[in-house]
Amino acid sequence: MLKLLLGDPNARKLERYQPLVSDINLLEEEVEPLSDEALRGLTSEFRQKLDAVSGNAQRQKQLLAELLPQAFAVVREASKRVLKMRHFDVQLIGGIALHEGKIAEMRTGEGKTLAATLP
């Protein structure tokens, strides 16, 4: 009964993740044409940005949230090139949950291992 009144808490979390998934999907078109070196350069750029705020935990957490869509898009592209496997939306959602320190429950065959490469 309570679930009917308040809704499913997992469904609410999934809805909260959907804008991030959309952002990652939009960025896919931008990172796809980049060279392997340019992808590595983006990863270095992410690290430099994080190093620049290393003493400020709150700012570091905020920056990680800002970088998440682009970083996940880069990982997805690297996976396509190296593993010949593309992360699907359900795997992106699992990766976001893991990034937030949550447990991501996924069914057999939904790609838990691939999802774990994102965070």
Side-chain angles (χ1 to χ4, degrees):
M1 180 68 174
L2 191 58
K3 204 178 214 183
L4 289 174
L5 293 173
L6 300 176
D8 182 6
N10 286 329
R12 285 196 307 271
K13 287 177 189 161
L14 293 176
E15 285 176 26
R16 188 172 59 84
Y17 293 158
Q18 197 55 51
L20 288 171
V21 171
S22 296
D23 290 345
I24 296 164
N25 286 334
L26 289 173
L27 288 167
E28 184 174 17
E29 294 176 12
E30 289 181 31
V31 298
E32 197 171 39
L34 297 176
S35 68
D36 291 350
E37 184 153 327
L39 284 178
R40 280 190 289 276
L42 284 173
T43 301
S44 295
E45 183 181 314
F46 300 151
R47 286 188 180 128
Q48 287 173 356
K49 287 180 180 181
L50 286 169
D51 287 345
V53 296
S54 63
N56 185 340
Q58 185 177 5
R59 178 62 185 128
Q60 198 169 28
K61 186 176 178 179
Q62 181 183 12
L63 182 60
L64 279 171
E66 292 169 12
L67 292 175
L68 185 140
Q70 192 174 14
F72 275 36
V74 168
V75 172
R76 176 192 256 177
E77 184 59 31
S79 174
K80 284 171 36 181
R81 294 178 189 191
V82 176
L83 303 174
K84 308 291 186 241
M85 298 174 79
R86 180 187 174 275
H87 295 81
F88 292 103
D89 288 358
V90 67
Q91 293 159 330
L92 296 175
I93 291 169
I96 294 166
L98 291 172
H99 169 76
E100 292 182 348
K102 294 179 174 54
I103 295 172
E105 184 177 349
M106 297 172 73
R107 292 187 177 104
T108 300
E110 282 190 323
K112 291 177 282 293
T113 303
L114 195 57
T117 62
L118 293 160

